[in-house]
Coordinates of all heavy atoms in Angstrom, one line a residue:
M1 N -6.9 2.3 18.4 CA -6.4 1.8 17.2 C -5.0 1.4 17.3 O -4.2 2.2 17.8 CB -6.6 2.8 16.1 CG -6.1 2.4 14.7 SD -6.6 3.6 13.5 CE -5.2 3.5 12.5
S2 N -4.6 0.2 16.9 CA -3.2 -0.2 17.0 C -2.4 0.3 15.8 O -3.0 0.4 14.7 CB -3.1 -1.7 17.2 OG -3.6 -2.3 16.1
T3 N -1.2 0.5 16.0 CA -0.3 1.0 14.9 C 0.7 -0.2 14.6 O 1.3 -0.7 15.5 CB 0.5 2.2 15.4 OG1 -0.4 3.2 15.8 CG2 1.4 2.7 14.3
P4 N 0.7 -0.5 13.3 CA 1.7 -1.6 12.9 C 3.1 -1.2 13.2 O 3.5 -0.1 13.1 CB 1.4 -1.8 11.5 CG 0.7 -0.6 11.0 CD 0.0 0.0 12.2
V5 N 3.9 -2.2 13.4 CA 5.3 -2.1 13.7 C 6.1 -3.0 12.8 O 5.8 -4.2 12.7 CB 5.7 -2.4 15.2 CG1 7.2 -2.3 15.4 CG2 4.9 -1.5 16.1
K6 N 7.1 -2.4 12.1 CA 7.9 -3.2 11.1 C 9.3 -3.4 11.8 O 9.8 -2.4 12.3 CB 8.0 -2.5 9.8 CG 8.9 -3.2 8.8 CD 8.7 -2.6 7.4 CE 8.8 -3.5 6.3 NZ 8.1 -4.8 6.3
I7 N 9.8 -4.5 11.6 CA 11.2 -4.8 12.0 C 12.0 -5.2 10.8 O 11.5 -6.1 10.1 CB 11.3 -5.8 13.1 CG1 10.6 -5.4 14.4 CG2 12.8 -6.1 13.4 CD1 10.6 -6.4 15.5
T8 N 13.1 -4.6 10.5 CA 14.0 -5.0 9.5 C 15.3 -5.3 10.1 O 15.9 -4.4 10.8 CB 14.1 -3.9 8.4 OG1 12.8 -3.6 7.9 CG2 15.0 -4.3 7.3
A9 N 15.8 -6.5 9.9 CA 17.1 -6.9 10.5 C 18.0 -7.3 9.3 O 17.6 -8.1 8.5 CB 16.9 -8.0 11.5
I10 N 19.2 -6.8 9.4 CA 20.2 -7.2 8.4 C 21.2 -8.0 9.1 O 21.8 -7.6 10.1 CB 20.9 -5.9 7.8 CG1 19.8 -5.1 7.1 CG2 22.0 -6.3 6.8 CD1 20.3 -3.7 6.7
L11 N 21.4 -9.2 8.6 CA 22.3 -10.2 9.2 C 23.4 -10.6 8.2 O 23.1 -11.0 7.1 CB 21.5 -11.5 9.6 CG 20.3 -11.2 10.5 CD1 19.3 -12.3 10.3 CD2 20.7 -11.0 11.9
V12 N 24.6 -10.4 8.6 CA 25.7 -10.8 7.7 C 26.4 -12.0 8.4 O 27.0 -11.9 9.5 CB 26.7 -9.7 7.5 CG1 27.9 -10.1 6.6 CG2 26.0 -8.5 6.9
A13 N 26.4 -13.1 7.7 CA 27.0 -14.4 8.3 C 28.5 -14.2 8.5 O 29.2 -13.6 7.7 CB 26.7 -15.5 7.3
K14 N 28.9 -14.7 9.6 CA 30.3 -14.7 9.9 C 31.0 -15.8 9.0 O 30.3 -16.7 8.5 CB 30.6 -15.0 11.4 CG 30.1 -13.9 12.3 CD 30.4 -14.1 13.7 CE 29.9 -12.8 14.5 NZ 30.2 -12.9 15.9
P15 N 32.3 -15.7 8.8 CA 32.9 -16.6 7.8 C 32.6 -18.1 8.1 O 32.7 -18.5 9.3 CB 34.4 -16.3 8.1 CG 34.5 -14.9 8.5 CD 33.2 -14.7 9.3
G16 N 32.1 -18.8 7.1 CA 31.8 -20.2 7.2 C 30.5 -20.5 7.9 O 30.2 -21.7 8.2
K17 N 29.7 -19.5 8.3 CA 28.5 -19.7 9.0 C 27.2 -19.5 8.2 O 26.1 -19.5 8.8 CB 28.5 -18.7 10.3 CG 29.6 -18.9 11.2 CD 29.5 -20.2 11.9 CE 30.6 -20.4 13.0 NZ 30.4 -21.6 13.7
R18 N 27.3 -19.2 6.9 CA 26.1 -18.9 6.1 C 25.1 -20.0 6.2 O 23.9 -19.7 6.4 CB 26.5 -18.7 4.6 CG 25.3 -18.4 3.8 CD 25.5 -18.5 2.3 NE 26.8 -17.9 1.9 CZ 27.4 -18.2 0.8 NH1 26.9 -19.1 -0.1 NH2 28.6 -17.7 0.5
D19 N 25.5 -21.3 6.1 CA 24.5 -22.4 6.1 C 23.8 -22.5 7.5 O 22.6 -22.8 7.5 CB 25.1 -23.7 5.7 CG 25.5 -23.7 4.2 OD1 25.0 -22.9 3.4 OD2 26.4 -24.5 3.8
E20 N 24.6 -22.3 8.5 CA 24.0 -22.4 9.9 C 23.0 -21.3 10.1 O 22.0 -21.4 10.7 CB 25.1 -22.4 10.9 CG 25.9 -23.6 11.1 CD 27.0 -23.5 12.1 OE1 26.6 -23.4 13.3 OE2 28.2 -23.4 11.8
L21 N 23.4 -20.1 9.6 CA 22.5 -18.9 9.8 C 21.2 -19.1 9.0 O 20.1 -18.9 9.5 CB 23.2 -17.6 9.3 CG 22.4 -16.4 9.2 CD1 21.8 -16.0 10.6 CD2 23.2 -15.2 8.6
R22 N 21.4 -19.6 7.8 CA 20.2 -19.9 7.0 C 19.2 -20.9 7.6 O 18.0 -20.8 7.6 CB 20.6 -20.3 5.6 CG 19.4 -20.4 4.6 CD 19.9 -20.8 3.2 NE 18.7 -20.8 2.3 CZ 18.7 -20.3 1.2 NH1 19.8 -19.7 0.7 NH2 17.6 -20.4 0.4
A23 N 19.8 -21.9 8.2 CA 19.0 -22.9 8.9 C 18.3 -22.4 10.1 O 17.2 -22.7 10.4 CB 19.9 -24.1 9.3
L24 N 19.0 -21.5 10.9 CA 18.4 -20.9 12.1 C 17.2 -20.1 11.6 O 16.2 -20.1 12.2 CB 19.5 -20.1 12.8 CG 18.9 -19.3 14.0 CD1 18.5 -20.3 15.1 CD2 20.0 -18.3 14.6
L25 N 17.4 -19.2 10.6 CA 16.4 -18.4 10.2 C 15.2 -19.2 9.6 O 14.0 -18.9 9.9 CB 16.9 -17.4 9.1 CG 18.0 -16.4 9.6 CD1 18.4 -15.6 8.4 CD2 17.5 -15.6 10.7
G26 N 15.5 -20.2 8.8 CA 14.5 -21.1 8.3 C 13.6 -21.7 9.3 O 12.4 -21.9 9.2
G27 N 14.3 -22.1 10.5 CA 13.5 -22.7 11.6 C 12.6 -21.7 12.3 O 11.7 -22.1 13.1
M28 N 12.8 -20.4 12.0 CA 11.9 -19.4 12.6 C 10.6 -19.1 11.8 O 9.7 -18.6 12.4 CB 12.7 -18.1 12.8 CG 13.9 -18.1 13.6 SD 13.6 -17.9 15.3 CE 13.1 -16.1 15.3
L29 N 10.6 -19.5 10.6 CA 9.5 -19.1 9.7 C 8.2 -19.5 10.2 O 7.3 -18.7 10.5 CB 9.7 -19.8 8.3 CG 10.6 -19.1 7.3 CD1 10.9 -20.0 6.1 CD2 10.1 -17.7 6.9
D30 N 7.9 -20.8 10.4 CA 6.6 -21.3 10.8 C 6.2 -20.8 12.2 O 5.1 -20.2 12.3 CB 6.5 -22.8 10.7 CG 6.5 -23.3 9.3 OD1 6.2 -22.5 8.4 OD2 6.8 -24.5 9.1
P31 N 7.1 -20.8 13.2 CA 6.6 -20.4 14.5 C 6.3 -18.8 14.5 O 5.4 -18.4 15.2 CB 7.7 -20.8 15.5 CG 8.8 -21.3 14.7 CD 8.3 -21.5 13.3
C32 N 7.2 -18.1 13.8 CA 6.9 -16.6 13.8 C 5.7 -16.3 13.1 O 4.9 -15.5 13.5 CB 8.1 -15.9 13.2 SG 9.6 -15.9 14.2
R33 N 5.4 -16.9 11.9 CA 4.2 -16.6 11.2 C 3.0 -17.1 11.9 O 1.9 -16.6 11.6 CB 4.3 -17.3 9.8 CG 5.3 -16.7 8.9 CD 5.5 -17.4 7.6 NE 6.4 -16.7 6.7 CZ 6.9 -17.2 5.6 NH1 6.5 -18.4 5.2 NH2 7.7 -16.5 4.8
A34 N 3.1 -18.0 12.8 CA 1.9 -18.5 13.5 C 1.6 -17.6 14.7 O 0.5 -17.8 15.3 CB 2.2 -19.9 14.0
E35 N 2.4 -16.7 15.1 CA 2.1 -15.8 16.2 C 0.9 -15.0 15.9 O 0.7 -14.5 14.8 CB 3.3 -14.9 16.5 CG 4.6 -15.6 17.0 CD 5.8 -14.7 17.1 OE1 5.6 -13.5 17.3 OE2 6.9 -15.2 17.0
A36 N 0.1 -14.8 17.0 CA -1.2 -14.1 16.8 C -1.0 -12.7 16.2 O -1.8 -12.2 15.4 CB -2.0 -14.0 18.1
G37 N 0.0 -12.0 16.7 CA 0.2 -10.6 16.2 C 1.1 -10.4 15.0 O 1.4 -9.3 14.7
N38 N 1.5 -11.5 14.4 CA 2.4 -11.4 13.2 C 1.6 -11.2 12.0 O 0.7 -12.0 11.7 CB 3.3 -12.6 13.2 CG 4.2 -12.5 12.0 OD1 3.9 -13.0 10.9 ND2 5.4 -12.0 12.2
L39 N 2.0 -10.3 11.1 CA 1.4 -10.1 9.8 C 2.3 -10.5 8.7 O 1.8 -10.8 7.6 CB 1.0 -8.6 9.6 CG 0.0 -8.0 10.6 CD1 -0.1 -6.5 10.5 CD2 -1.3 -8.6 10.5
R40 N 3.6 -10.5 8.9 CA 4.5 -10.9 7.9 C 5.8 -11.3 8.6 O 6.3 -10.7 9.5 CB 4.7 -9.7 7.0 CG 5.8 -9.9 5.9 CD 5.7 -8.8 4.9 NE 6.0 -9.4 3.6 CZ 5.1 -9.8 2.7 NH1 3.8 -9.6 3.0 NH2 5.4 -10.5 1.6
W41 N 6.5 -12.3 8.0 CA 7.8 -12.7 8.5 C 8.5 -13.4 7.3 O 8.3 -14.5 7.0 CB 7.7 -13.6 9.7 CG 8.9 -13.6 10.6 CD1 9.1 -12.8 11.7 CD2 10.2 -14.3 10.4 NE1 10.3 -13.0 12.2 CE2 11.0 -13.9 11.5 CE3 10.6 -15.2 9.5 CZ2 12.3 -14.4 11.6 CZ3 11.9 -15.7 9.7 CH2 12.7 -15.3 10.7
D42 N 9.4 -12.6 6.7 CA 10.0 -13.1 5.4 C 11.5 -13.0 5.6 O 12.1 -12.1 6.2 CB 9.6 -12.3 4.2 CG 8.1 -12.5 3.9 OD1 7.5 -13.6 4.2 OD2 7.4 -11.5 3.5
I43 N 12.2 -13.9 4.9 CA 13.7 -13.9 4.8 C 14.1 -13.6 3.4 O 13.6 -14.2 2.4 CB 14.3 -15.3 5.2 CG1 13.8 -15.8 6.6 CG2 15.8 -15.3 5.1 CD1 14.0 -17.2 6.8
W44 N 15.0 -12.7 3.2 CA 15.6 -12.3 1.9 C 17.1 -12.5 2.0 O 17.7 -12.4 3.0 CB 15.3 -10.8 1.6 CG 13.8 -10.5 1.5 CD1 12.9 -10.3 2.5 CD2 13.1 -10.5 0.3 NE1 11.7 -10.1 2.0 CE2 11.7 -10.2 0.7 CE3 13.4 -10.6 -1.0 CZ2 10.7 -10.0 -0.3 CZ3 12.4 -10.4 -2.0 CH2 11.0 -10.1 -1.6
Q45 N 17.6 -12.9 0.8 CA 19.1 -13.1 0.7 C 19.6 -12.1 -0.4 O 19.0 -12.1 -1.5 CB 19.4 -14.5 0.4 CG 20.9 -14.8 0.4 CD 21.2 -16.3 0.2 OE1 20.3 -17.1 -0.3 NE2 22.3 -16.8 0.7
D46 N 20.6 -11.4 -0.1 CA 21.2 -10.4 -1.0 C 21.8 -11.1 -2.2 O 22.6 -12.0 -2.1 CB 22.3 -9.6 -0.2 CG 22.8 -8.4 -1.0 OD1 22.6 -8.3 -2.2 OD2 23.5 -7.6 -0.3
Q47 N 21.4 -10.7 -3.4 CA 22.0 -11.2 -4.6 C 23.4 -10.9 -4.8 O 24.2 -11.7 -5.4 CB 21.2 -10.7 -5.9 CG 19.8 -11.2 -5.9 CD 19.1 -10.7 -7.2 OE1 19.6 -9.9 -8.0 NE2 17.8 -11.1 -7.3
A48 N 23.9 -9.7 -4.3 CA 25.3 -9.3 -4.5 C 26.2 -9.9 -3.4 O 27.4 -10.0 -3.6 CB 25.4 -7.8 -4.4
N49 N 25.6 -10.3 -2.3 CA 26.4 -10.8 -1.2 C 25.6 -11.9 -0.5 O 24.8 -11.7 0.4 CB 26.8 -9.8 -0.2 CG 27.6 -10.3 1.0 OD1 27.8 -11.5 1.1 ND2 28.0 -9.5 1.9
P50 N 25.8 -13.2 -0.9 CA 24.9 -14.3 -0.4 C 25.1 -14.5 1.1 O 24.4 -15.3 1.7 CB 25.3 -15.5 -1.2 CG 26.6 -15.2 -1.8 CD 26.7 -13.7 -1.9
D51 N 26.1 -13.9 1.8 CA 26.3 -14.0 3.2 C 25.3 -13.0 4.0 O 25.3 -13.1 5.2 CB 27.7 -13.7 3.6 CG 28.7 -14.9 3.3 OD1 28.2 -16.0 3.1 OD2 29.9 -14.6 3.1
R52 N 24.7 -12.1 3.2 CA 23.8 -11.1 3.8 C 22.3 -11.5 3.7 O 21.9 -11.7 2.6 CB 24.1 -9.8 3.2 CG 23.3 -8.7 3.9 CD 23.7 -7.2 3.6 NE 24.1 -7.1 2.2 CZ 25.2 -6.4 1.9 NH1 25.9 -5.7 2.8 NH2 25.6 -6.3 0.6
F53 N 21.6 -11.6 4.8 CA 20.2 -11.8 4.8 C 19.5 -10.7 5.4 O 20.0 -9.9 6.3 CB 19.9 -13.1 5.7 CG 20.5 -14.4 5.1 CD1 21.8 -14.7 5.4 CD2 19.8 -15.2 4.3 CE1 22.4 -15.8 4.9 CE2 20.3 -16.4 3.8 CZ 21.6 -16.7 4.1
V54 N 18.2 -10.5 5.0 CA 17.4 -9.4 5.5 C 16.1 -10.1 6.0 O 15.4 -10.9 5.3 CB 17.0 -8.4 4.5 CG1 16.1 -7.3 5.1 CG2 18.3 -7.7 4.0
L55 N 15.7 -9.8 7.3 CA 14.5 -10.3 7.8 C 13.5 -9.1 7.7 O 13.8 -8.0 8.0 CB 14.6 -10.6 9.3 CG 15.5 -11.8 9.7 CD1 15.5 -12.0 11.2 CD2 15.1 -13.0 8.9
D56 N 12.3 -9.4 7.2 CA 11.3 -8.4 7.0 C 10.1 -8.9 7.8 O 9.4 -9.9 7.5 CB 10.9 -8.4 5.5 CG 9.8 -7.4 5.1 OD1 9.6 -6.4 5.9 OD2 9.1 -7.6 4.1
E57 N 9.8 -8.2 8.9 CA 8.8 -8.6 9.9 C 7.8 -7.5 10.0 O 8.1 -6.3 10.0 CB 9.4 -8.9 11.2 CG 10.6 -9.8 11.2 CD 11.3 -10.0 12.5 OE1 10.6 -10.0 13.6 OE2 12.5 -10.0 12.5
L58 N 6.5 -7.8 10.2 CA 5.5 -6.9 10.4 C 4.5 -7.4 11.5 O 4.1 -8.6 11.4 CB 4.7 -6.6 9.1 CG 3.7 -5.5 9.2 CD1 4.3 -4.1 9.5 CD2 2.9 -5.4 7.9
Y59 N 4.3 -6.6 12.5 CA 3.4 -7.0 13.6 C 2.3 -6.0 13.8 O 2.4 -4.8 13.3 CB 4.2 -7.0 14.9 CG 5.4 -8.0 14.8 CD1 6.6 -7.7 14.4 CD2 5.1 -9.3 15.2 CE1 7.6 -8.6 14.3 CE2 6.1 -10.3 15.2 CZ 7.4 -9.9 14.7 OH 8.4 -10.9 14.6
V60 N 1.2 -6.4 14.4 CA 0.0 -5.5 14.5 C 0.3 -4.3 15.4 O -0.3 -3.2 15.2 CB -1.2 -6.3 15.0 CG1 -1.7 -7.3 14.0 CG2 -1.0 -6.9 16.4
D61 N 1.2 -4.5 16.4 CA 1.5 -3.3 17.3 C 2.7 -3.7 18.2 O 3.3 -4.8 18.0 CB 0.3 -3.0 18.2 CG -0.3 -4.2 19.0 OD1 0.5 -5.2 19.2 OD2 -1.4 -4.1 19.4
N62 N 3.1 -2.8 19.0 CA 4.2 -3.0 19.9 C 4.0 -4.1 20.9 O 5.0 -4.8 21.3 CB 4.6 -1.7 20.7 CG 5.4 -0.8 19.8 OD1 6.4 -1.2 19.2 ND2 5.0 0.5 19.8
A63 N 2.8 -4.4 21.3 CA 2.5 -5.5 22.2 C 2.8 -6.8 21.5 O 3.3 -7.8 22.1 CB 1.1 -5.5 22.7
A64 N 2.5 -6.9 20.2 CA 2.8 -8.1 19.5 C 4.3 -8.3 19.3 O 4.8 -9.5 19.4 CB 2.2 -8.1 18.1
V65 N 5.1 -7.2 19.2 CA 6.6 -7.3 19.2 C 7.1 -7.8 20.5 O 7.9 -8.7 20.6 CB 7.2 -6.0 18.8 CG1 8.7 -6.0 18.9 CG2 6.8 -5.6 17.4
A66 N 6.5 -7.3 21.6 CA 6.9 -7.7 22.9 C 6.6 -9.2 23.1 O 7.5 -9.9 23.7 CB 6.3 -6.8 24.0
A67 N 5.5 -9.6 22.7 CA 5.1 -11.0 22.8 C 6.1 -11.9 22.0 O 6.5 -13.0 22.5 CB 3.7 -11.2 22.4
H68 N 6.4 -11.5 20.8 CA 7.3 -12.2 19.9 C 8.7 -12.4 20.6 O 9.2 -13.5 20.6 CB 7.5 -11.4 18.6 CG 8.7 -11.8 17.8 ND1 8.7 -13.1 17.2 CD2 9.8 -11.2 17.5 CE1 9.8 -13.2 16.5 NE2 10.6 -12.1 16.7
R69 N 9.1 -11.4 21.3 CA 10.4 -11.4 22.0 C 10.5 -12.3 23.2 O 11.5 -12.5 23.7 CB 10.9 -10.0 22.3 CG 11.2 -9.2 21.0 CD 11.7 -7.8 21.3 NE 12.1 -7.2 20.1 CZ 12.3 -5.9 20.0 NH1 12.0 -5.1 21.0 NH2 12.7 -5.3 18.9
Q70 N 9.3 -12.8 23.6 CA 9.3 -13.7 24.7 C 9.1 -15.2 24.3 O 9.0 -16.1 25.1 CB 8.1 -13.3 25.7 CG 8.4 -12.0 26.3 CD 9.7 -11.9 27.1 OE1 10.0 -12.7 27.9 NE2 10.4 -10.8 26.8
T71 N 8.9 -15.4 23.0 CA 8.7 -16.8 22.6 C 9.9 -17.7 22.6 O 11.0 -17.2 22.5 CB 8.2 -16.8 21.1 OG1 9.2 -16.2 20.3 CG2 6.9 -16.0 20.9
P72 N 9.7 -19.0 22.8 CA 10.9 -19.9 22.8 C 11.8 -19.8 21.6 O 13.0 -19.8 21.6 CB 10.3 -21.2 23.0 CG 9.0 -21.0 23.6 CD 8.5 -19.7 23.1
H73 N 11.1 -19.7 20.4 CA 11.9 -19.6 19.1 C 12.7 -18.3 19.0 O 13.9 -18.4 18.6 CB 11.0 -19.8 17.9 CG 9.8 -19.0 17.8 ND1 8.6 -19.4 18.4 CD2 9.6 -17.8 17.3 CE1 7.7 -18.4 18.2 NE2 8.3 -17.4 17.5
F74 N 12.2 -17.2 19.5 CA 13.0 -16.0 19.5 C 14.1 -16.0 20.5 O 15.3 -15.6 20.2 CB 12.1 -14.7 19.8 CG 12.9 -13.5 19.8 CD1 13.2 -12.9 18.6 CD2 13.3 -12.9 20.9 CE1 14.0 -11.7 18.5 CE2 14.1 -11.7 20.9 CZ 14.4 -11.1 19.7
L75 N 13.9 -16.6 21.7 CA 14.9 -16.7 22.7 C 16.0 -17.6 22.2 O 17.2 -17.4 22.5 CB 14.3 -17.1 24.0 CG 13.4 -16.1 24.7 CD1 12.7 -16.7 25.9 CD2 14.0 -14.8 25.0
N76 N 15.7 -18.7 21.5 CA 16.7 -19.6 20.9 C 17.5 -18.8 19.9 O 18.7 -18.9 19.9 CB 16.0 -20.8 20.3 CG 17.0 -21.7 19.6 OD1 17.8 -22.3 20.3 ND2 16.8 -21.9 18.3
Y77 N 16.8 -18.0 19.0 CA 17.5 -17.2 18.0 C 18.5 -16.3 18.7 O 19.7 -16.2 18.3 CB 16.5 -16.4 17.2 CG 17.0 -15.3 16.5 CD1 17.5 -15.4 15.2 CD2 16.9 -14.0 17.0 CE1 17.9 -14.3 14.5 CE2 17.3 -12.9 16.3 CZ 17.8 -13.1 15.0 OH 18.3 -12.0 14.3
V78 N 18.1 -15.6 19.7 CA 19.0 -14.6 20.4 C 20.2 -15.3 21.0 O 21.3 -14.8 21.0 CB 18.2 -13.9 21.5 CG1 19.1 -13.1 22.4 CG2 17.2 -12.9 20.9
S79 N 20.0 -16.6 21.5 CA 21.1 -17.3 22.1 C 22.2 -17.7 21.1 O 23.3 -18.0 21.5 CB 20.6 -18.5 22.9 OG 20.2 -19.6 22.0
K80 N 21.8 -17.8 19.8 CA 22.7 -18.3 18.8 C 23.2 -17.3 17.8 O 24.3 -17.4 17.2 CB 22.0 -19.4 18.0 CG 21.7 -20.6 18.9 CD 21.0 -21.7 18.1 CE 20.7 -22.9 19.0 NZ 20.0 -23.9 18.2
I81 N 22.4 -16.2 17.6 CA 22.7 -15.3 16.5 C 24.1 -14.6 16.6 O 24.8 -14.4 15.6 CB 21.6 -14.2 16.3 CG1 21.7 -13.6 14.9 CG2 21.6 -13.2 17.4 CD1 21.6 -14.5 13.8
G82 N 24.6 -14.3 17.8 CA 25.9 -13.7 18.0 C 27.0 -14.5 17.5 O 28.0 -13.9 17.0
D83 N 26.9 -15.8 17.5 CA 28.0 -16.7 17.0 C 27.9 -16.8 15.5 O 28.9 -17.3 14.9 CB 27.9 -18.1 17.7 CG 28.2 -18.0 19.1 OD1 28.9 -17.1 19.6 OD2 27.6 -18.9 19.9
L84 N 26.8 -16.5 14.9 CA 26.6 -16.8 13.5 C 26.6 -15.6 12.6 O 27.0 -15.7 11.4 CB 25.2 -17.5 13.3 CG 25.0 -18.8 14.0 CD1 23.6 -19.3 13.7 CD2 26.0 -19.8 13.6
A85 N 26.3 -14.4 13.1 CA 26.2 -13.2 12.2 C 26.4 -11.9 13.0 O 26.2 -11.9 14.2 CB 24.8 -13.2 11.6
D86 N 26.8 -10.9 12.2 CA 26.7 -9.5 12.7 C 25.3 -9.1 12.3 O 24.8 -9.3 11.2 CB 27.8 -8.7 12.0 CG 29.2 -9.1 12.4 OD1 29.4 -9.4 13.6 OD2 30.0 -9.2 11.5
R87 N 24.7 -8.4 13.3 CA 23.2 -8.1 13.1 C 23.0 -6.6 13.4 O 23.5 -6.0 14.3 CB 22.5 -8.9 14.2 CG 21.0 -8.6 14.2 CD 20.3 -9.6 15.2 NE 18.9 -9.3 15.4 CZ 18.4 -8.5 16.3 NH1 19.1 -7.9 17.1 NH2 17.1 -8.4 16.3
T88 N 22.2 -6.0 12.5 CA 21.7 -4.6 12.6 C 20.2 -4.7 12.5 O 19.7 -5.3 11.5 CB 22.2 -3.7 11.5 OG1 23.7 -3.7 11.6 CG2 21.7 -2.3 11.7
A89 N 19.5 -4.2 13.5 CA 18.0 -4.3 13.4 C 17.4 -2.9 13.6 O 17.9 -2.1 14.4 CB 17.5 -5.2 14.5
M90 N 16.3 -2.6 12.9 CA 15.6 -1.4 13.0 C 14.1 -1.7 13.4 O 13.5 -2.6 12.7 CB 15.6 -0.6 11.7 CG 17.0 -0.2 11.3 SD 17.0 0.5 9.6 CE 17.0 -1.1 8.7
V91 N 13.6 -1.0 14.3 CA 12.2 -1.1 14.7 C 11.5 0.1 14.2 O 11.9 1.2 14.6 CB 12.0 -1.3 16.2 CG1 10.5 -1.4 16.5 CG2 12.7 -2.6 16.7
L92 N 10.6 0.0 13.3 CA 10.1 1.1 12.5 C 8.6 1.4 12.7 O 7.8 0.4 12.8 CB 10.3 0.9 11.0 CG 11.7 0.5 10.6 CD1 11.7 -0.1 9.2 CD2 12.6 1.6 10.7
D93 N 8.2 2.7 12.9 CA 6.9 3.1 12.9 C 6.4 3.5 11.6 O 7.1 4.1 10.8 CB 6.7 4.3 13.9 CG 6.9 3.9 15.3 OD1 6.5 2.8 15.7 OD2 7.4 4.7 16.1
A94 N 5.1 3.3 11.3 CA 4.5 3.6 10.0 C 4.4 5.1 9.9 O 4.0 5.8 10.8 CB 3.2 3.0 9.8
V95 N 4.8 5.7 8.7 CA 4.6 7.1 8.5 C 3.5 7.2 7.4 O 2.5 8.0 7.7 CB 5.9 7.7 7.9 CG1 5.7 9.2 7.5 CG2 7.0 7.7 9.0
D96 N 3.6 6.5 6.3 CA 2.5 6.6 5.3 C 2.5 5.2 4.6 O 3.4 5.0 3.8 CB 2.9 7.7 4.3 CG 1.7 8.0 3.3 OD1 0.7 7.2 3.3 OD2 1.9 8.9 2.5
I97 N 1.6 4.4 4.9 CA 1.6 3.0 4.3 C 0.2 2.8 3.8 O -0.8 3.4 4.2 CB 2.0 1.9 5.3 CG1 1.1 1.9 6.6 CG2 3.4 2.1 5.7 CD1 1.3 0.8 7.5
T98 N 0.1 1.8 2.9 CA -1.2 1.4 2.4 C -1.4 -0.1 2.6 O -0.5 -0.8 2.8 CB -1.4 1.8 0.9 OG1 -0.4 1.1 0.2 CG2 -1.4 3.2 0.7

């Protein structure tokens, strides 16, 4: 039985980079959602700080996360994100979910 894996990433746009960050994240939506092991891939923007975005990702298991990290769209994201935002990511195991 596979165990779902959630990734939550908090991205704070560097000064003047909010629109570029939003465009980069928006370009990830369709390819990430199309991945076989992806269950959810959503972008949220903080109401109190519009420079802060949260990625809410859910995968069927760790193998799906590993496959995600090898895709061209993820590798493109990794090559650009350091110039656009400060990033904190958490990879989470389910404790009690429905």
Side-chain angles (χ1 to χ4, degrees):
M1 178 174 146
S2 64
T3 303
V5 177
K6 180 169 214 44
I7 298 175
T8 300
I10 300 168
L11 306 157
V12 180
K14 293 185 177 181
K17 299 291 185 177
R18 180 190 321 157
D19 291 342
E20 287 179 70
L21 175 60
R22 188 177 182 134
L24 177 66
L25 299 178
M28 299 274 292
L29 278 171
D30 289 341
C32 287
R33 288 175 176 170
E35 293 173 27
N38 180 272
L39 299 171
R40 173 170 220 97
W41 206 95
D42 296 324
I43 304 167
W44 296 83
Q45 188 172 21
D46 188 344
Q47 291 181 0
N49 178 358
D51 287 336
R52 184 171 30 224
F53 295 84
V54 176
L55 297 181
D56 179 25
E57 306 173 43
L58 185 62
Y59 298 89
V60 294
D61 56 21
N62 278 312
V65 172
H68 166 68
R69 291 181 174 163
Q70 297 303 312
T71 62
H73 50 273
F74 180 79
L75 296 173
N76 178 62
Y77 163 85
V78 169
S79 75
K80 294 179 179 178
I81 196 63
D83 293 332
L84 301 179
D86 294 318
R87 179 178 175 265
T88 302
M90 297 170 283
V91 179
L92 308 165
D93 289 324
V95 174
D96 187 358
I97 59 173
T98 57

